[in-house]
Amino acid sequence: MNPTVGDLAGNAASLVEAARRAYAAGARLVIAPELALTGYPPEDLLLRPAFMRACANALADITAQLSGLEGLHVVVGHPHQFGERGDVRSKSHAVQLRFNAASVIAGGRVIATYCKRELPNYQVFDERRYFASGRDAGQGAVVFEAGGCRFGLLICEDAWFNEPARSAKAAGAQALVVINASPFHLGKNEEREARMADRARDVGLPLLYTHLVGGQDEVVFDGGSFAVDARGTLAARAPLFTEALMLVDVRPDGRVAGEVVALPALEAQAWSALVTGVRDYVGKNGFPGVIIGLSGGIDSALVLAIAVDALGADRVRAVMMPSPYTADISWIDAREMAECLGVRYDEISISPMFDAFRAGLAPQFEGLAEDTTEENIQARIRGTLLMALSNKFGSIVLTTGNKSEMATGYCTLYGDMAGGFAVIKDVAKTLVFRLARWKNEQPNRRADGTIGPVIPARIITRPPSAELRANQTDEDSLPPYPLLDAILERYMENDQSIDEVVAAGFDRAVVERVARLIRISEYKRRQAPVGIRITHRSFGKDWRYPITSKFRA
C-alpha cells in the first residue's frame, strides 16, 4: 500500500478496505507493511503526544471495523507505547518508551504486539532517535496462529540478523512474517531477496515479506512484496511501484505458492522511482501542477518527460527563457519536445532583463572583465521568473540539476537551484543519458497520437552546455562526465579516500580537483531543494557533511 505520512484516517481506511478484499478472496492472514498506519518515516511527529494518541485511536478503530470477519488475522505496522519504564539511556527520569511495532488483530481485539528489535541508524535511517528496541521492553518472540499455521513476526531490520528469526522458530513459528518500509535504491530489490532467502534457509522456514510503495519526500518505496519457501527459493513477487494485493498460499510442508512478477531492467526501475517520487510529492502535498524551465538541454528534457509520465501533460508547464547565448537549436528542440508531449509551452526572453542588470551594475563593475558573475545573473533571472509563475499560479517548480552538478557545485544558488523539488538530484549525468535513450526506446504515445521518441535526438547527442556564455560546454569547467561520475561513485557514494581512488587508476590531480569541488560546494547543497533518492548514497539525509571542515583526504 501507498500510505501518506500523518493521514491516519486515510491510511486506516485503505487497510480496512484491503483486508476486506483479501478476506473475500479467501485469505485468513493479511499482512500490511511497516508503519502502514502512519506512513514511513513519520519523523518528529512521533515526538508529539497528540500524534501517538491519534495512532492508538486509529488502531482501535481498525480493530473494531474488522471485528465481524471471522477467522481473519491482520498484521498492522504502527508506532506503539505501553507501560512506564526508566529511560535506559539516561536513567534520569521515567519516560514512556516508543516502539516501532506490529499488532495482530483478530476477533475484534489486538491479540499480540511485537516491537522491532533491530533499529537501523545508517543511510536515511535514524530510528534510534525515535524508538526503543523491543529488548528494552523485555519482549521476546511473538508467534501467533492463523489458518492452521504458526507465524513468527519480524519487522524489517530484524530479518537482516540471525537472532530474531531463530527466536521466532524456537518459539514455535512455522513461517516468518516480515513487514517492511525499505527505501528504494538501484539494486536494492535483488539485495533484499538474497538476504531474505538466506534468512529462510538459516531457520528452514518460509518467509513472507510485505513492503510499502510510494514516495515520501526524498525517499521512494518500490513495493515488490515477495515470498520465499523454506529453501530460500522465490515463490511469489508482487509488481514494483504499484499498490497490489498479492495472494499466496502457505502450505503445511513449508512450500509457498504465488505469482512471480519479473523484475524490470535497471533503467525501468529508475524511471518508475522518479515518476513515483514526482507523482506523490506533487499529489500528496496538493500542488495543482508543475513548472519546468526548459532549456533545450538533456537535463530539463529528462525532467519534463518524467513529469508528464507522473502527472499528465495538462498539469505540466514548460517555460523557455532564452538569453543572448542561447543557440537556435535549443529553441527548436525545446519547442519540438513540448509539442511532442502536449504541454503548455511559453517563451520569455531574459535579454532585456539581463541588459538591465548589467547596466545597473556597470558602475560597480567598471574595468572588470565579465566572468561567472554575469553567467549567474542569467541563471538567477530565470529562477526569479519561474518562482514568480509558481507564486501566481500555485504550481511547484521542478529543478533540473543532476547529481554530477550537485556534487561539483556546477549550479547557481537562487538560479537553476531555485524551486521546490529536485527530480534528478540523485541521477548522475551518465545515467541521465542512459535514461533519455531508454525512454526514447519505449513505445511512447505522443500528443499527436503517434508512437515514437519524445526527446529530440539532438538533445541527447549534442555536447552538454549551460549556454551562459559564447561557445560554452560543460567540459570547460568539469572533467568529462564518464570520468567525473566514476570518481564520484568511488569518493562520494562509496567513501573511498583520495589515495584509494588514485590507486584504482585515476589521475591524482583530477581526483583532488573533484574532491575539492565536492568539499567547497557543501554550502550550496544545504540550500538545495529536497530531491528523489535512487542510489545508496544521495545528497540528502544520508549525506551530512560539515560545511566548515579542514579534512582533505
Side-chain angles (χ1 to χ4, degrees), residues 527-540:
Q527 301 178 67
V530 65
I532 304 167
R533 175 185 186 267
I534 67 165
T535 69
H536 73 275
R537 190 76 181 282
S538 69
F539 288 118

Side-chain angles (χ1 to χ4, degrees), residues 196-198 200-201 207 226-236 256 260:
M196 294 306 103
D198 290 343
R201 283 190 291 267
L207 182 150
F226 62 91
V228 296
D229 64 21
R231 297 170 296 178
T233 303
L234 185 70
V256 180
V260 177

Side-chain angles (χ1 to χ4, degrees), residues 422-479:
V423 179
I424 58 172
K425 181 180 181 178
D426 197 32
V427 182
K429 188 75 169 191
T430 47
L431 182 55
V432 167
F433 280 102
R434 286 175 60 186
L435 290 178
R437 295 187 183 100
W438 175 88
K439 178 60 177 173
N440 273 357
E441 292 167 358
Q442 305 313 301
N444 303 293
R445 181 169 295 279
R446 298 179 290 203
D448 62 2
T450 61
I451 303 296
V454 293
I455 301 176
R458 185 164 52 193
I459 289 179
I460 300 174
T461 58
R462 64 185 292 205
S465 170
E467 293 193 325
L468 297 173
R469 65 173 183 267
N471 303 314
Q472 182 183 34
T473 67
D474 290 2
E475 288 190 17
D476 296 340
S477 303
L478 299 173

Side-chain angles (χ1 to χ4, degrees), residues 480-533:
Y481 281 115
L483 174 59
L484 172 61
D485 289 350
I487 294 172
L488 289 177
E489 181 180 8
R490 291 176 177 273
Y491 182 81
M492 179 263 166
E493 294 183 1
N494 296 329
D495 288 321
Q496 292 185 7
S497 68
I498 290 174
D499 287 344
E500 288 172 325
V501 179
V502 171
F506 295 88
D507 180 80
R508 178 172 292 275
V510 177
V511 176
E512 289 181 345
R513 177 187 171 201
V514 171
R516 177 182 178 275
L517 289 172
I518 294 173
R519 185 176 65 253
I520 66 175
S521 302
E522 188 61 37
Y523 78 101
K524 288 188 178 182
R525 289 189 290 270
R526 289 287 184 94
Q527 301 178 67
V530 65
I532 304 167
R533 175 185 186 267

Side-chain angles (χ1 to χ4, degrees), residues 162-318:
N162 291 325
E163 186 271 331
R166 291 175 181 176
S167 294
K169 182 176 183 179
Q174 297 171 305
L176 299 176
V177 165
V178 187
I179 69 170
N180 300 269
S182 175
F184 170 81
H185 63 72
L186 294 172
K188 189 66 177 287
N189 312 92
E190 294 89 343
E191 182 183 6
R192 286 192 206 109
E193 292 182 5
R195 292 296 293 269
M196 294 306 103
D198 290 343
R199 188 64 53 243
R201 283 190 291 267
D202 179 66
V203 293
L205 298 177
L207 182 150
L208 312 176
Y209 184 107
T210 187
H211 188 215
L212 283 180
V213 69
Q216 171 59 30
D217 296 345
E218 72 184 69
V219 295
V220 174
F221 302 97
D222 49 300
S225 299
F226 62 91
V228 296
D229 64 21
R231 297 170 296 178
T233 303
L234 185 70
R237 184 195 291 128
L240 267 61
F241 296 104
T242 184
E243 290 186 304
L245 184 67
M246 180 175 69
L247 295 173
V248 299
D249 183 27
V250 183
R251 299 173 182 173
D253 60 2
R255 289 185 296 163
V256 180
E259 180 184 3
V260 177
V261 176
L263 281 179
L266 180 143
E267 290 84 359
Q269 291 184 40
W271 192 271
S272 294
L274 296 168
V275 166
T276 299
V278 171
R279 180 185 297 133
D280 281 355
Y281 193 83
V282 172
K284 291 179 180 181
N285 286 293
F287 293 105
V290 300
I291 299 174
I292 299 166
L294 192 63
S295 68
I298 192 168
D299 295 320
S300 63
L302 185 68
V303 171
L304 179 62
I306 291 166
V308 170
D309 277 6
L311 305 170
D314 60 325
R315 297 179 67 192
V316 179
R317 180 177 182 178

Side-chain angles (χ1 to χ4, degrees), residues 28-51:
R28 291 301 174 262
L29 172 60
V30 175
I31 313 164
E34 179 180 11
L35 293 183
L37 182 59
T38 62
Y40 189 96
E43 298 184 299
D44 280 13
L45 288 174
L46 293 162
L47 305 181
R48 299 184 65 84
F51 182 73

